[in-house]
Amino acid sequence: MSRKLLLLRPYFFPMSNIVSILQNAVAKAVTDLYGEATDPAKVQVNTTPSDFTGDYSVVIFPFVKIAKKAPDAAAAEIGAFLQEKVSEIRAYNVVKGFLNLEISDAYWQQFLNSTVANPDYGRQPVNGKKVMVEFSSPNTNKPLHLGHIRNILLGWSCTQILEAVGYEVVKTQIVNDRGVAICKSMVSWLSFGAGKTPASEGIKSDHFVGDYYVLFEQKIKEEYAAWQNTAAGQAVLVEKQKPGQAPGDFFKDFKNKWFNEYSVLGAAVREMLLKWEDHDPETLALWQKMNGWVYEGFEKTYQDLGVKFDKLYYESNTYLLGKDIVEQGLAKNVFFKKEDGSIWIDLTDAGYDQKVVLRADGTSVYITQDMGTAQMRHEELGCERYIYVVADEQNYHFQVLFEALKRLGEPYANGLFHLSYGLVELPTGRMKTREGTVVDADDLIAEVIRIAGEQSAERGETEGVSEAEKQENLRKVAMGALKFFIIKVHPKRKMIFNPEESVDLQGQTGPYIQYSFVRINGLLQRVEREQIDLSKASEYQQIMPQEKDLLVALHDYPAVVLQAAEAYDPSLIANFCYALAKSYHRFWHDLSIFNADTAAAKAFRLQLSRAVGKVLQSAMGLLGVEMPNRM
RNA sequence: GGCUCCGUAGCUUAAUGGAUAGAGCAUCUGACUACGGAUCAGAAGGUUAGAGGUUCGAGUCCUCUCGGAGUCACCA
């Protein structure tokens, strides 16, 4: 199957790019031969499948009507025209309406030279535009888990890709640092913590807080079970039980109500929340202390994942926002007020429902905050685009949010984008906190590093490397495996995460790609050591198919980055990396490099390897994956 | 039930409407007395859930059916 190429836009690529040369030439051929103007950008140019002769193929079918000829006849005519007019074309052939073109070695030589010389190959010039990417956005009551990891890797990778195509990127997260959840952890620690701290217990500080959250849930369960057997509990059962309902079912349904009206711990949480909202100094101090522990822990995890943020927003500062915008919306008749005083937006004409935007008591809901935050951020940052990396369970929320902001006439509304991704599930199904099946981020990271260490020890390939360097390389391999495993899947797709496969180091994996880089690194070190002169590369004749595959892939790289940026899809980069590494391994296997027949071939292959290494490092960097020197 | 998304080999997955649906894992068979075997080659494995339609051409677009997920909170 041929690889599809982007319809390149001329202003991104100089005329030295062979694909745009071909597109323009074909358009000209159609105009000259058949008298009809054609948009060069719409000319379909693909890489030629390996079982045909040629480097690129033009799809002729779209022109047969204009040409009033059979596909093969038109293809032959256009082929002859191209060969005569385009010096880069060495030969052509026609198969079933496809025009296969062979590109001259001189072109590829020139391409390789310029690629090796260009440190920014694949990147676009700075375009002066700003874009914000919001990702991670954790709650502060428990540590990060596998779901966050996908979010973080996707978000981070998008920031790198957008920077590569010229944007200034503001990396942000909204920290959900207030609300019932953190109050549960606070109550739990006050009630059962006995003054313990992360330091006194030797536990990573976000896990420490998370443990008290879990403990709270456990205690509340115990309290509820005990209450059910009290006289009060039995009285409620008798009074409110539906006919024929089993006591177990009743108590299951009744849990929320019980928590709000009968539970001692529940009352403590509500009180805590109220005190927090009243700015009670003691409560605020506790809140700050425990959140501080959580941030300290998050920071470590972010470091392990290799990500950082430019700007943090805290929900405690933003949760009251959005009331102004509601007022304005009311004045503009975008919103309306119901009898009870609550304010709504009616989106039924757009296929959505009515949605409350402000409660009758004047307090905010989720979407109020989000409208307010969007407005505030635009005032602060003035970006052209705002990307929200949030799981697809919130698709509807973002559709409503964006639609509301559009109707309010917000100037940035058309630049909003929800980068929606599928939830991560385990082979056993969805992760559930209550069932303890949540995969913890730190545990997972530790596990992949452990396994990479085992594998490396078996191979024993790292003699003469310092311990520190060994550890560093191990970390890169392990994180490469984990990150690639997650990013290679299309964001929209729900992904099944098999912990065992995620640490595979063979096949379609990060380490497979890193290994090709390590091989290249070995070659280049030898070039350095032996002071090998690579200038003879340009004398090389007769490029081999294994070499051509690499050249074509390298040539495609800038277009792939652009496509990934436009689609907000890092998996495109991951697939590109794998294909390039695969071609390189094959090249390595089939052809001699240092023992090549001629000095020119040796130099050419070394130069080619250098270019491949450079592009691999660059592309994997866009995924947040670092390359080890040895492994 | 309404809306949205998804269904590709045993499993995990790829494919701007273009050629014989491409990989990896697992299974089986092979490969340099080394430029590093975390590699390479080969075999086997598919009615792209099913049925219609549009098109020169459909995994991809349209309609319907079946199956799965999400959502439809004055939670976030």
Side-chain angles (χ1 to χ4, degrees), chain A residues 376-448:
Chain A
M376 177 191 72
R377 282 201 295 215
H378 185 64
E379 282 161 14
E380 266 182 37
L381 304 173
C383 291
E384 175 157 304
R385 289 195 269 173
Y386 297 86
I387 319 294
Y388 297 75
V389 184
V390 180
D392 63 7
E393 49 189 358
Q394 293 198 39
N395 283 354
Y396 183 70
H397 169 74
F398 280 102
Q399 282 168 358
V400 171
L401 174 67
F402 295 169
E403 181 65 24
L405 290 168
K406 259 178 216 162
R407 293 187 183 201
L408 287 163
E410 295 295 325
Y412 52 86
N414 287 320
L416 299 167
F417 182 79
H418 174 206
L419 175 47
S420 163
Y421 62 91
L423 291 177
V424 184
E425 294 184 7
L426 301 174
T428 49
R430 207 168 158 172
M431 294 190 287
K432 296 217 173 79
T433 315
R434 261 167 289 161
E435 291 169 21
T437 53
V438 176
V439 175
D440 178 77
D442 297 316
D443 291 351
L444 183 58
I445 291 168
E447 176 67 1
V448 292

Side-chain angles (χ1 to χ4, degrees), chain A residues 458-627:
Chain A
E458 272 178 33
R459 293 195 171 78
E461 292 281 1
T462 49
E463 293 147 30
V465 179
S466 76
E467 190 55 32
E469 202 178 328
K470 222 186 267 185
Q471 287 307 319
E472 179 63 5
N473 285 333
L474 263 186
R475 188 188 62 78
K476 287 177 179 170
V477 171
M479 294 310 292
L482 178 60
K483 289 180 177 181
F484 190 84
F485 184 80
I486 289 173
I487 291 182
K488 73 177 180 183
V489 180
H490 191 283
K492 205 169 145 188
R493 211 179 166 97
K494 173 181 87 181
M495 76 172 287
I496 312 285
F497 184 88
N498 186 330
E500 287 171 19
E501 287 171 9
S502 72
V503 294
D504 273 354
L505 310 176
Q506 287 161 20
Q508 193 178 29
T509 65
Y512 174 95
I513 298 161
Q514 289 171 322
Y515 185 55
S516 59
F517 179 83
V518 166
R519 283 178 148 177
I520 291 166
N521 192 50
L523 293 181
L524 296 181
Q525 281 179 356
R526 183 162 160 192
V527 168
E528 189 91 355
R529 240 182 1 254
E530 300 178 9
Q531 296 285 305
I532 293 170
D533 174 22
L534 299 183
S535 63
K536 282 212 170 66
S538 56
E539 292 167 23
Y540 182 55
Q541 306 284 327
Q542 297 210 318
I543 295 171
M544 309 283 287
Q546 293 91 334
E547 296 160 338
K548 186 68 73 62
D549 282 351
L550 291 171
L551 289 164
V552 171
L554 293 176
H555 190 276
D556 205 16
Y557 178 53
V560 172
V561 178
L562 278 170
Q563 194 177 6
E566 283 175 18
Y568 305 107
D569 181 4
S571 73
L572 290 171
I573 306 280
N575 292 331
F576 169 84
C577 289
Y578 175 68
L580 179 57
K582 191 172 164 64
S583 294
Y584 189 77
H585 281 309
R586 183 175 195 152
F587 159 85
W588 174 287
H589 179 268
D590 289 356
L591 303 176
S592 294
I593 300 174
F594 277 105
N595 303 324
D597 291 342
T598 64
K602 175 166 145 183
F604 181 83
R605 287 172 192 166
L606 286 167
Q607 283 289 55
L608 182 54
S609 297
R610 167 174 290 173
V612 170
K614 204 169 72 165
V615 168
L616 280 176
Q617 187 162 34
S618 159
M620 290 290 269
L622 298 180
L623 306 181
V625 176
E626 299 168 276
M627 293 300 206

Side-chain angles (χ1 to χ4, degrees), chain A residues 231-243 247 250-251:
Chain A
Q234 289 298 314
V236 168
L237 173 65
V238 170
E239 183 195 337
K240 302 197 170 166
Q241 187 178 26
K242 289 182 209 138
F250 169 79
F251 283 123

Side-chain angles (χ1 to χ4, degrees), chain A residues 152-274:
Chain A
I152 291 164
L153 296 181
L154 261 177
W156 178 258
S157 182
C158 278
T159 68
Q160 300 308 107
I161 291 166
L162 288 166
E163 279 175 10
V165 298
Y167 287 93
E168 178 188 347
V169 180
V170 185
K171 310 171 188 80
T172 71
Q173 63 172 327
I174 291 191
V175 183
N176 299 303
D177 61 342
R178 63 167 283 280
V180 174
I182 182 65
C183 285
K184 284 181 179 175
S185 289
M186 286 156 66
V187 165
S188 176
W189 183 76
L190 275 184
S191 309
F192 316 112
K196 291 176 187 168
T197 67
S200 76
E201 304 307 297
I203 297 175
K204 186 163 175 284
S205 51
D206 51 338
H207 288 251
F208 179 86
V209 174
D211 288 348
Y212 280 95
Y213 182 79
V214 171
L215 182 64
F216 180 89
E217 294 296 342
Q218 204 179 311
K219 294 285 184 186
I220 203 86
K221 212 166 151 185
E222 288 169 15
E223 188 195 337
Y224 193 34
W227 178 83
Q228 288 169 22
N229 293 322
T230 61
Q234 289 298 314
V236 168
L237 173 65
V238 170
E239 183 195 337
K240 302 197 170 166
Q241 187 178 26
K242 289 182 209 138
Q245 190 181 29
D249 291 341
F250 169 79
F251 283 123
K252 206 172 161 193
D253 291 348
F254 192 68
K255 185 164 184 186
N256 266 338
K257 205 160 167 60
W258 168 80
F259 181 84
N260 287 324
E261 294 177 13
Y262 298 89
S263 164
V264 176
L265 280 171
V269 168
R270 270 196 318 284
E271 193 193 337
M272 185 76 80
L273 200 52
L274 286 174

Side-chain angles (χ1 to χ4, degrees), chain A residues 22-266:
Chain A
L22 295 177
Q23 287 178 311
N24 281 293
V26 170
K28 180 140 183 14
V30 171
T31 308
D32 287 10
L33 292 171
Y34 310 123
E36 192 148 333
T38 301
D39 181 1
K42 294 202 173 127
V43 176
Q44 293 180 60
V45 178
N46 301 338
T47 54
T48 304
S50 54
D51 31 1
F52 298 98
T53 305
D55 300 328
Y56 292 98
S57 300
V58 182
V59 183
I60 297 298
F61 291 106
F63 310 123
V64 296
K65 206 173 259 180
I66 301 172
K68 301 195 180 82
K69 290 204 162 93
D72 284 5
E77 224 165 46
I78 295 171
F81 181 96
L82 292 183
Q83 188 172 21
E84 191 188 324
K85 297 282 165 73
V86 181
S87 61
E88 289 86 353
I89 296 176
R90 185 171 68 192
Y92 72 94
N93 65 83
V94 174
V95 181
K96 290 198 295 182
F98 291 87
L99 172 60
N100 302 322
L101 302 168
E102 292 177 55
I103 306 305
S104 69
D105 284 3
Y107 175 82
W108 290 118
Q109 281 282 5
Q110 168 286 114
F111 164 72
L112 180 57
N113 262 334
S114 67
T115 304
V116 167
N118 179 2
D120 289 326
Y121 182 67
R123 302 180 76 89
Q124 303 295 327
V126 169
N127 64 18
K129 294 175 184 166
K130 239 162 114 177
V131 51
M132 183 211 79
V133 180
E134 175 199 305
F135 60 102
S136 189
S137 303
N139 294 319
T140 58
N141 62 314
K142 48 181 188 269
L144 302 174
H145 58 71
L146 178 52
H148 291 112
I149 290 188
R150 187 176 198 193
N151 181 305
I152 291 164
L153 296 181
L154 261 177
W156 178 258
S157 182
C158 278
T159 68
Q160 300 308 107
I161 291 166
L162 288 166
E163 279 175 10
V165 298
Y167 287 93
E168 178 188 347
V169 180
V170 185
K171 310 171 188 80
T172 71
Q173 63 172 327
I174 291 191
V175 183
N176 299 303
D177 61 342
R178 63 167 283 280
V180 174
I182 182 65
C183 285
K184 284 181 179 175
S185 289
M186 286 156 66
V187 165
S188 176
W189 183 76
L190 275 184
S191 309
F192 316 112
K196 291 176 187 168
T197 67
S200 76
E201 304 307 297
I203 297 175
K204 186 163 175 284
S205 51
D206 51 338
H207 288 251
F208 179 86
V209 174
D211 288 348
Y212 280 95
Y213 182 79
V214 171
L215 182 64
F216 180 89
E217 294 296 342
Q218 204 179 311
K219 294 285 184 186
I220 203 86
K221 212 166 151 185
E222 288 169 15
E223 188 195 337
Y224 193 34
W227 178 83
Q228 288 169 22
N229 293 322
T230 61
Q234 289 298 314
V236 168
L237 173 65
V238 170
E239 183 195 337
K240 302 197 170 166
Q241 187 178 26
K242 289 182 209 138
Q245 190 181 29
D249 291 341
F250 169 79
F251 283 123
K252 206 172 161 193
D253 291 348
F254 192 68
K255 185 164 184 186
N256 266 338
K257 205 160 167 60
W258 168 80
F259 181 84
N260 287 324
E261 294 177 13
Y262 298 89
S263 164
V264 176
L265 280 171

